[in-house]
Amino acid sequence: MSVDGWHTLLVLGGIRSGKSEFAESLVADAPTVRYVATAPAGDPEDTEWATRLAAHRARRPGSWSTEETAADPGRLVEVIAAAGPNETLLVDDLGGWVTVLLDPAHQPADDTATIAELAAAVRSSAARVVLVSPEVGLSLVPTTPLGRAFTDALGATNRAVADACDAVALVVAGQTAWLKPATPAPAHAVPPAATSPEAVPSRAAAPHTAAPRAAASWATAPQPTSEQAARNQTATTGAAPARAVPADLGAGDVTLPEVLTPAAAPVPAPVTSDEPGTGDWAAPTMALPMIATGLVIQPGMELPMPDDYTGPQAVDRLATLDIPGAGLGVLEQVVGFAAATQGTSTPRPWDSVRVLLIQGDHEGGASAGATPGESARRARQARAGRGPLARLAAENRAGLQIVEAPASAAMEDGPALSADEVEAALRYGWRLAEQAADAGVQLLVLAACGAGAEAAAAAVLAATAGAEAPTVLGRVVTEQGEIDDTAWMVRCAAVRDALHRTRRSAREAKDVLAELGGGDIALATGVLLGATARKVPVLLDGPVGTAAAMVSRDLAGQARHWCLLPDHGGRPGVRLAADVLGLTPLVDLRLDLGEGATALAALPLLRSALTLAATLPVHPSLGGPDDEGDTDERTGDDGRTEDEPDFAEPEPAGPGPTTIGADEPVSPGRRAD
């Protein structure tokens, strides 16, 4: 099992190393946590020890329940074995457990057998378990028999539990190193078959460390490299405008576009200005330099696949939950998808979401019927915090990054892009996905706005799926809401002529992007490949995203398994691509608010399904809690039952909305991506 899909975890560390704080941060976002305290009370006159225990208690949230096992070392085994799949246990620590185990009051006893029972309980536990233990094996051999007995027993315990756990972390001086499974090579963003050791000596030599804090998802173990840590320190508060893809990414440093974090407007006002820079945005989360990564993107790359087992397990688990009706229906697919991509049978809702809006126009007949400059206006509108995409991003607490793709030439007259521009766009898109993963983003939403993008996507579909242009090209709707059949015929003719021009050309992925796809689809393809390499799922929504998925399958067949399609939007090309890719749309909203908006509109529904799947208890008939029969047994330290939600008091309202621009009120609150 991979580090980011652990189910049971052992956290080792020395005295005052930060191991307990790190373990607590890993489960901070879990709906319910049972803290298993193993340490005995100690001497009443030992005030220093009492102070340590009090500090541990003070750090625990009020929603956590606590169970003491100091009276009987066998009680810890019972607690772990009896915990259900919807529970999270934090055991702190095994040193206290060994102290109780060696207590003369519990002797004579077979300590080896008790340690083996603990390891067996951890290995077979249905709950998510984090165990903390001191690492004393690096010190000198104690000079007393009792000291030697303690270090020997604790060493045997750590070895047995480490063998039983999915993952093991060692915290030293506040820094975390992952011992099990072994941290992958730094080129994890680049498949081995596509990486030249000579091209990336700095990446191959970078040591792996991790900060002693959990990633955005409590079930994800962080694995930043030292190079990534250095990049994180380049964060700036300046807001740089979106930049086009450079012709040569290795020629020098290139700043990626800013990540905008909008605040939702509680009372939208009429929009009277589309000038950029008037939105209430937080500073960009980071402005990273583009460096020569040595990426070699080529067909047949071996990228990660979602977990084959946790997805079906999560869906099967839904049948055991205490649900009054028939269940989640088609939304079971969301639970299975999230479980497979997160590597756990109890997936969590996506907390950190980023929207990538790719803006790039196509010349020639592909853009027939489009208003000149409309896509640039939409991009400025989104950057200013207005328009459907920005509003929906704000409501979903999602970051928004506007990326300018290179303009594409008329595909009916010649290649839309040069081969070098395709390579640059693919690398740039990959780097955007890497930046999102480094920032802790758990879900990407692919959006696009560009004149002629739908016709270019139709050409890609025709070339890769053998479709006819009229069957995959949607009707052209003017700004006045009228159907423009003349423009539609011009677009069909452009696709037809482009396919005729390239009828003897190779149909390799990069050739299709150069001849037909253009800058926006090439950049989106790079995003999908980079997201796959970093195990970040992607919501597709529209022709550009699905066309990129069609191309990416020829570069890395694993990419489509990290994609989810909430809705086909009534677009024939998206429907065809979904059939070919094996993606089943979840809803049929028929929204037409621009590519990416439908996915954001459906995101709250998807999150709700994951919340229910993660927090609902097992039905009483299957061994779950009985609300009438065992209320007292499930009451925590704060007087609430474990199933009772932890509702927080609403925060007091601020001083009022801050007016920006002409008539645009926006809440003063800001949230980082």
Side-chain angles (χ1 to χ4, degrees):
M1 180 176 293
S2 63
V3 167
D4 57 358
W6 60 266
H7 186 75
T8 52
L9 170 66
L10 174 63
V11 179
L12 298 169
I15 299 172
R16 299 297 190 186
S17 63
K19 60 184 183 298
S20 293
E21 291 91 336
F22 174 66
E24 290 164 7
S25 70
L26 289 174
V27 300
D29 294 335
T32 58
V33 176
R34 191 178 351 166
Y35 187 97
V36 183
T38 62
D43 187 350
E45 297 181 359
D46 190 347
T47 57
E48 190 274 338
W49 180 250
T51 301
R52 289 185 180 227
L53 295 181
H56 275 260
R57 295 191 185 100
R59 286 201 308 263
R60 303 172 202 165
S63 60
W64 290 11
S65 61
T66 302
E67 179 152 354
E68 304 280 351
T69 63
D72 179 12
R75 177 57 184 160
L76 177 60
V77 177
E78 297 173 358
V79 170
I80 295 176
N86 60 326
E87 291 188 79
T88 300
L89 302 183
L90 174 55
V91 181
D92 194 358
D93 66 7
L94 294 183
W97 181 78
V98 170
T99 300
V100 176
L101 182 66
L102 298 179
D103 192 304
H106 301 292
Q107 298 296 327
D110 189 345
D111 298 340
T112 303
T114 306
I115 294 173
E117 291 173 359
L118 174 62
V122 171
R123 182 176 287 107
S124 61
S125 176
R128 190 171 295 271
V129 183
V130 178
L131 304 103
V132 181
S133 184
E135 176 52 64
V136 297
L138 302 179
S139 62
L140 297 175
V141 177
T143 59
T144 64
L146 184 58
R148 289 192 293 271
F150 176 79
T151 54
D152 290 347
L154 183 57
T157 301
N158 287 345
R159 291 182 60 180
V161 174
D163 182 68
C165 284
D166 302 325
V168 180
L170 175 64
V171 181
V172 180
Q175 307 302 309
T176 305
W178 290 93
L179 308 181
K180 177 186 178 182
T183 308
H188 66 279
V190 186
T195 305
S196 171
E198 294 79 6
V200 288
S202 61
R203 290 173 67 90
H208 281 254
T209 60
R213 299 179 63 185
S217 171
W218 71 280
T220 302
Q223 304 178 64
T225 64
S226 59
E227 176 186 314
Q228 293 164 356
R231 292 186 210 149
N232 291 341
Q233 296 177 358
T234 66
T236 174
T237 57
R243 302 183 58 174
V245 179
D248 185 0
L249 298 184
D253 290 349
V254 177
T255 302
L256 296 182
E258 61 180 326
V259 180
L260 308 174
T261 52
V267 184
V271 177
T272 59
S273 172
D274 286 322
E275 292 302 319
T278 59
D280 181 22
W281 304 96
T285 57
M286 58 178 63
L288 301 178
M290 178 63 68
I291 64 173
T293 61
L295 285 175
V296 180
I297 300 177
Q298 62 186 16
M301 294 187 296
E302 291 294 333
L303 299 183
M305 278 284 290
D307 196 309
D308 289 336
Y309 301 100
T310 54
Q313 287 174 354
V315 174
D316 293 342
R317 180 178 171 274
L318 294 177
T320 68
L321 301 183
D322 191 3
I323 299 176
L328 296 179
V330 70
L331 295 182
E332 289 184 353
Q333 299 179 37
V334 181
V335 178
F337 173 80
T341 53
Q342 294 179 23
T344 172
S345 59
T346 53
R348 307 296 304 147
W350 303 291
D351 293 325
S352 180
V353 180
R354 180 174 295 182
V355 183
L356 294 180
L357 175 59
I358 302 173
Q359 185 254 322
D361 292 339
H362 297 255
E363 299 176 358
S367 59
T371 303
E374 177 66 10
S375 66
R377 187 184 75 85
R378 291 294 181 188
R380 293 197 307 270
Q381 185 185 62
R383 188 177 292 109
R386 298 191 293 269
L389 190 72
R391 292 298 192 201
L392 289 170
E395 290 298 326
N396 283 281
R397 308 183 307 279
L400 177 59
Q401 193 171 22
I402 296 95
V403 185
E404 184 179 340
S408 305
M411 59 182 172
E412 63 269 33
D413 298 333
L417 288 181
S418 67
D420 289 341
E421 288 175 320
V422 170
E423 291 287 351
L426 288 172
R427 293 181 185 178
Y428 194 66
W430 186 302
R431 185 67 192 91
L432 288 168
E434 277 194 328
Q435 180 202 32
D438 291 345
V441 171
Q442 300 167 343
L443 179 70
L444 286 174
V445 178
L446 205 53
C449 66
E454 187 171 0
V460 170
L461 287 173
T464 56
E468 295 291 335
T471 64
V472 294
L473 194 56
R475 306 290 290 274
V476 179
V477 181
T478 66
E479 291 181 341
Q480 293 75 30
E482 299 176 349
I483 302 296
D484 189 344
D485 284 334
T486 301
W488 179 79
M489 288 187 287
V490 173
R491 294 186 184 186
C492 288
V495 175
R496 177 202 63 198
D497 294 345
L499 293 173
H500 180 76
R501 179 183 61 80
T502 60
R503 65 190 183 278
R504 292 188 177 89
S505 300
R507 286 291 188 254
E508 298 293 335
K510 293 183 181 179
D511 298 317
V512 171
L513 291 174
E515 297 288 349
L516 307 171
D520 51 355
I521 297 178
L523 199 150
T525 302
V527 170
L528 293 181
L529 295 173
T532 300
R534 297 299 298 272
K535 300 182 180 181
V536 178
V538 181
L539 289 189
L540 302 180
D541 179 22
V544 171
T546 51
M550 291 289 292
V551 176
S552 67
R553 66 175 184 155
D554 295 330
L555 294 170
Q558 303 84 2
R560 67 184 181 90
H561 296 282
W562 294 89
C563 297
L564 187 67
L565 181 65
D567 191 355
H568 55 64
R571 298 178 182 270
V574 176
R575 283 180 171 176
L576 173 62
D579 289 340
V580 175
L581 295 169
L583 303 176
T584 303
L586 302 174
V587 295
D588 190 7
L589 300 178
R590 299 300 179 97
L591 295 180
D592 193 7
L593 302 174
E595 183 164 350
T598 301
L600 288 174
L603 184 56
L605 180 63
L606 310 186
R607 280 171 161 165
S608 297
L610 295 178
T611 299
L612 291 175
T615 59
L616 287 177
V618 175
H619 195 276
S621 64
L622 299 176
D626 185 350
D627 291 337
E628 295 183 358
D630 58 354
T631 302
D632 294 338
E633 296 179 5
R634 296 181 295 110
T635 300
D637 289 349
D638 56 357
R640 296 187 301 104
T641 61
E642 291 180 7
D643 297 332
E644 182 180 344
D646 184 16
F647 293 110
E649 291 294 330
E651 297 182 359
T658 300
T659 302
I660 58 173
D663 297 298
E664 192 70 3
V666 178
S667 168
R670 294 177 177 178
R671 185 181 188 277
D673 184 14

